[in-house]
Short mmCIF file of all heavy atoms in Angstrom, two decimals:
data_model
loop_
_atom_site.label_atom_id
_atom_site.label_comp_id
_atom_site.label_asym_id
_atom_site.label_seq_id
_atom_site.Cartn_x
_atom_site.Cartn_y
_atom_site.Cartn_z
N TRP A 1017 8.05 4.12 5.36
CA TRP A 1017 7.19 3.86 4.18
C TRP A 1017 5.84 4.57 4.35
O TRP A 1017 5.26 4.60 5.43
CB TRP A 1017 6.96 2.38 4.01
CG TRP A 1017 8.16 1.62 3.51
CD1 TRP A 1017 8.99 0.79 4.25
CD2 TRP A 1017 8.67 1.63 2.17
NE1 TRP A 1017 10.00 0.33 3.45
CE2 TRP A 1017 9.83 0.80 2.17
CE3 TRP A 1017 8.28 2.29 1.00
CZ2 TRP A 1017 10.56 0.59 1.04
CZ3 TRP A 1017 9.05 2.04 -0.12
CH2 TRP A 1017 10.17 1.20 -0.12
N TRP A 1018 5.38 5.12 3.21
CA TRP A 1018 4.10 5.75 3.12
C TRP A 1018 3.30 5.12 1.97
O TRP A 1018 3.89 4.51 1.11
CB TRP A 1018 4.23 7.26 2.87
CG TRP A 1018 5.01 7.98 3.92
CD1 TRP A 1018 6.35 7.95 4.11
CD2 TRP A 1018 4.45 8.81 4.95
NE1 TRP A 1018 6.71 8.73 5.17
CE2 TRP A 1018 5.55 9.26 5.72
CE3 TRP A 1018 3.18 9.23 5.29
CZ2 TRP A 1018 5.39 10.12 6.80
CZ3 TRP A 1018 3.02 10.10 6.39
CH2 TRP A 1018 4.11 10.53 7.11
N ARG A 1019 2.02 5.34 1.99
CA ARG A 1019 1.18 4.94 0.86
C ARG A 1019 0.20 6.05 0.54
O ARG A 1019 -0.23 6.79 1.43
CB ARG A 1019 0.46 3.63 1.10
CG ARG A 1019 -0.67 3.72 2.14
CD ARG A 1019 -1.37 2.39 2.33
NE ARG A 1019 -2.45 2.52 3.32
CZ ARG A 1019 -3.16 1.50 3.79
NH1 ARG A 1019 -2.89 0.27 3.34
NH2 ARG A 1019 -4.11 1.68 4.69
N ARG A 1020 -0.15 6.13 -0.73
CA ARG A 1020 -1.23 7.06 -1.16
C ARG A 1020 -2.50 6.23 -1.30
O ARG A 1020 -2.55 5.26 -2.02
CB ARG A 1020 -0.90 7.72 -2.49
CG ARG A 1020 -1.94 8.76 -2.91
CD ARG A 1020 -1.51 9.55 -4.11
NE ARG A 1020 -1.31 8.75 -5.29
CZ ARG A 1020 -2.30 8.33 -6.09
NH1 ARG A 1020 -3.56 8.66 -5.83
NH2 ARG A 1020 -2.03 7.60 -7.16
N ARG A 1021 -3.52 6.65 -0.56
CA ARG A 1021 -4.78 5.90 -0.56
C ARG A 1021 -5.92 6.90 -0.73
O ARG A 1021 -6.19 7.75 0.12
CB ARG A 1021 -4.94 5.12 0.74
CG ARG A 1021 -6.21 4.24 0.78
CD ARG A 1021 -6.16 3.32 1.99
NE ARG A 1021 -6.19 4.05 3.23
CZ ARG A 1021 -7.31 4.41 3.88
NH1 ARG A 1021 -8.49 4.06 3.37
NH2 ARG A 1021 -7.24 5.07 5.02
N PHE A 1022 -6.58 6.83 -1.90
CA PHE A 1022 -7.73 7.67 -2.21
C PHE A 1022 -7.40 9.13 -2.00
O PHE A 1022 -8.18 9.87 -1.36
CB PHE A 1022 -8.97 7.24 -1.45
CG PHE A 1022 -9.43 5.87 -1.82
CD1 PHE A 1022 -9.27 4.81 -0.95
CD2 PHE A 1022 -9.95 5.61 -3.08
CE1 PHE A 1022 -9.67 3.52 -1.33
CE2 PHE A 1022 -10.36 4.34 -3.46
CZ PHE A 1022 -10.22 3.29 -2.57
N GLY A 1023 -6.24 9.57 -2.49
CA GLY A 1023 -5.91 10.98 -2.49
C GLY A 1023 -5.16 11.44 -1.28
O GLY A 1023 -4.76 12.65 -1.25
N GLU A 1024 -4.90 10.62 -0.31
CA GLU A 1024 -4.19 11.05 0.90
C GLU A 1024 -2.98 10.20 1.14
O GLU A 1024 -2.97 8.97 0.93
CB GLU A 1024 -5.10 10.98 2.11
CG GLU A 1024 -6.26 11.98 2.05
CD GLU A 1024 -7.12 11.96 3.27
OE1 GLU A 1024 -6.88 11.09 4.18
OE2 GLU A 1024 -8.07 12.75 3.37
N LEU A 1025 -1.89 10.84 1.59
CA LEU A 1025 -0.67 10.15 1.93
C LEU A 1025 -0.71 9.79 3.42
O LEU A 1025 -1.03 10.62 4.27
CB LEU A 1025 0.54 11.02 1.63
CG LEU A 1025 1.90 10.34 1.49
CD1 LEU A 1025 1.91 9.39 0.33
CD2 LEU A 1025 3.01 11.38 1.32
N GLU A 1026 -0.41 8.53 3.77
CA GLU A 1026 -0.48 8.09 5.16
C GLU A 1026 0.59 7.05 5.42
O GLU A 1026 1.09 6.40 4.46
CB GLU A 1026 -1.86 7.46 5.40
CG GLU A 1026 -2.19 6.28 4.56
CD GLU A 1026 -3.61 5.79 4.71
OE1 GLU A 1026 -4.45 6.54 5.19
OE2 GLU A 1026 -3.88 4.64 4.31
N PRO A 1027 1.03 6.92 6.67
CA PRO A 1027 1.99 5.89 6.96
C PRO A 1027 1.51 4.50 6.55
O PRO A 1027 0.33 4.18 6.72
CB PRO A 1027 2.19 6.01 8.48
CG PRO A 1027 1.76 7.38 8.81
CD PRO A 1027 0.64 7.74 7.85
N LEU A 1028 2.42 3.69 6.03
CA LEU A 1028 2.04 2.34 5.62
C LEU A 1028 1.75 1.45 6.83
O LEU A 1028 2.65 1.27 7.68
CB LEU A 1028 3.18 1.74 4.80
CG LEU A 1028 2.95 0.34 4.18
CD1 LEU A 1028 1.93 0.46 3.05
CD2 LEU A 1028 4.25 -0.23 3.69
N PRO A 1029 0.56 0.93 7.02
CA PRO A 1029 0.24 0.10 8.16
C PRO A 1029 1.00 -1.25 8.04
O PRO A 1029 0.77 -2.01 7.10
CB PRO A 1029 -1.25 -0.13 8.09
CG PRO A 1029 -1.75 0.90 7.12
CD PRO A 1029 -0.64 1.14 6.15
N PRO A 1030 1.91 -1.56 8.93
CA PRO A 1030 2.75 -2.73 8.77
C PRO A 1030 2.03 -4.07 8.83
O PRO A 1030 2.44 -5.05 8.20
CB PRO A 1030 3.77 -2.60 9.90
CG PRO A 1030 3.12 -1.76 10.95
CD PRO A 1030 2.26 -0.80 10.18
N ASP A 1031 0.90 -4.11 9.58
CA ASP A 1031 0.25 -5.40 9.82
C ASP A 1031 -0.95 -5.65 8.91
O ASP A 1031 -1.64 -6.66 9.06
CB ASP A 1031 -0.19 -5.57 11.30
CG ASP A 1031 -1.07 -4.40 11.75
OD1 ASP A 1031 -1.26 -3.43 11.01
OD2 ASP A 1031 -1.56 -4.46 12.89
N GLN A 1032 -1.16 -4.76 7.95
CA GLN A 1032 -2.25 -5.01 6.97
C GLN A 1032 -1.68 -5.88 5.83
O GLN A 1032 -0.51 -5.78 5.49
CB GLN A 1032 -2.77 -3.72 6.37
CG GLN A 1032 -3.66 -2.93 7.29
CD GLN A 1032 -4.28 -1.73 6.63
OE1 GLN A 1032 -4.20 -1.56 5.40
NE2 GLN A 1032 -4.94 -0.87 7.40
N PRO A 1033 -2.53 -6.68 5.17
CA PRO A 1033 -2.07 -7.40 3.98
C PRO A 1033 -1.62 -6.43 2.88
O PRO A 1033 -2.24 -5.37 2.67
CB PRO A 1033 -3.33 -8.15 3.55
CG PRO A 1033 -4.12 -8.35 4.79
CD PRO A 1033 -3.88 -7.09 5.57
N VAL A 1034 -0.52 -6.72 2.25
CA VAL A 1034 -0.05 -5.90 1.16
C VAL A 1034 -1.08 -5.98 0.04
O VAL A 1034 -1.67 -7.02 -0.22
CB VAL A 1034 1.33 -6.37 0.67
CG1 VAL A 1034 1.33 -7.78 0.07
CG2 VAL A 1034 1.95 -5.39 -0.30
N GLN A 1035 -1.28 -4.86 -0.64
CA GLN A 1035 -2.16 -4.84 -1.79
C GLN A 1035 -1.52 -4.00 -2.89
O GLN A 1035 -0.53 -3.32 -2.71
CB GLN A 1035 -3.56 -4.32 -1.44
CG GLN A 1035 -3.65 -2.87 -1.04
CD GLN A 1035 -5.09 -2.39 -0.82
OE1 GLN A 1035 -6.06 -3.08 -1.15
NE2 GLN A 1035 -5.22 -1.24 -0.23
N HIS A 1036 -2.14 -4.07 -4.08
CA HIS A 1036 -1.65 -3.41 -5.28
C HIS A 1036 -0.27 -3.95 -5.70
O HIS A 1036 0.62 -3.21 -6.10
CB HIS A 1036 -1.56 -1.88 -5.07
CG HIS A 1036 -2.88 -1.23 -4.82
ND1 HIS A 1036 -3.92 -1.34 -5.73
CD2 HIS A 1036 -3.32 -0.50 -3.78
CE1 HIS A 1036 -4.96 -0.68 -5.24
NE2 HIS A 1036 -4.63 -0.16 -4.04
N VAL A 1037 -0.16 -5.30 -5.61
CA VAL A 1037 0.98 -5.96 -6.18
C VAL A 1037 0.50 -6.83 -7.36
O VAL A 1037 -0.60 -7.40 -7.28
CB VAL A 1037 1.74 -6.82 -5.20
CG1 VAL A 1037 2.47 -5.99 -4.19
CG2 VAL A 1037 0.83 -7.82 -4.48
N CYS A 1038 1.30 -6.92 -8.39
CA CYS A 1038 0.93 -7.77 -9.54
C CYS A 1038 1.37 -9.22 -9.27
O CYS A 1038 2.07 -9.50 -8.29
CB CYS A 1038 1.53 -7.20 -10.84
SG CYS A 1038 3.30 -7.43 -11.03
N TRP A 1039 0.98 -10.09 -10.15
CA TRP A 1039 1.31 -11.53 -10.01
C TRP A 1039 2.84 -11.70 -10.01
O TRP A 1039 3.37 -12.49 -9.21
CB TRP A 1039 0.68 -12.34 -11.14
CG TRP A 1039 0.90 -13.79 -10.98
CD1 TRP A 1039 0.08 -14.67 -10.32
CD2 TRP A 1039 1.98 -14.60 -11.48
NE1 TRP A 1039 0.58 -15.95 -10.39
CE2 TRP A 1039 1.76 -15.92 -11.11
CE3 TRP A 1039 3.12 -14.29 -12.23
CZ2 TRP A 1039 2.64 -16.98 -11.47
CZ3 TRP A 1039 4.00 -15.32 -12.58
CH2 TRP A 1039 3.77 -16.62 -12.18
N TYR A 1040 3.53 -11.00 -10.87
CA TYR A 1040 4.99 -11.15 -10.95
C TYR A 1040 5.67 -10.76 -9.63
O TYR A 1040 6.64 -11.38 -9.20
CB TYR A 1040 5.55 -10.31 -12.08
CG TYR A 1040 5.25 -10.83 -13.47
CD1 TYR A 1040 4.65 -10.01 -14.43
CD2 TYR A 1040 5.56 -12.15 -13.82
CE1 TYR A 1040 4.39 -10.49 -15.70
CE2 TYR A 1040 5.27 -12.64 -15.08
CZ TYR A 1040 4.71 -11.81 -16.02
OH TYR A 1040 4.44 -12.28 -17.30
N GLU A 1041 5.16 -9.70 -9.00
CA GLU A 1041 5.73 -9.27 -7.71
C GLU A 1041 5.44 -10.34 -6.63
O GLU A 1041 6.32 -10.63 -5.82
CB GLU A 1041 5.14 -7.92 -7.31
CG GLU A 1041 5.61 -6.75 -8.19
CD GLU A 1041 4.80 -5.51 -7.96
OE1 GLU A 1041 3.58 -5.52 -8.23
OE2 GLU A 1041 5.42 -4.49 -7.53
#
């Protein structure tokens, strides 16, 4: 898994809180 953060693609840090999820998710 990767994430795009402020213009850069980086490996998804597994131990950080998930963000950018909506209430339904």
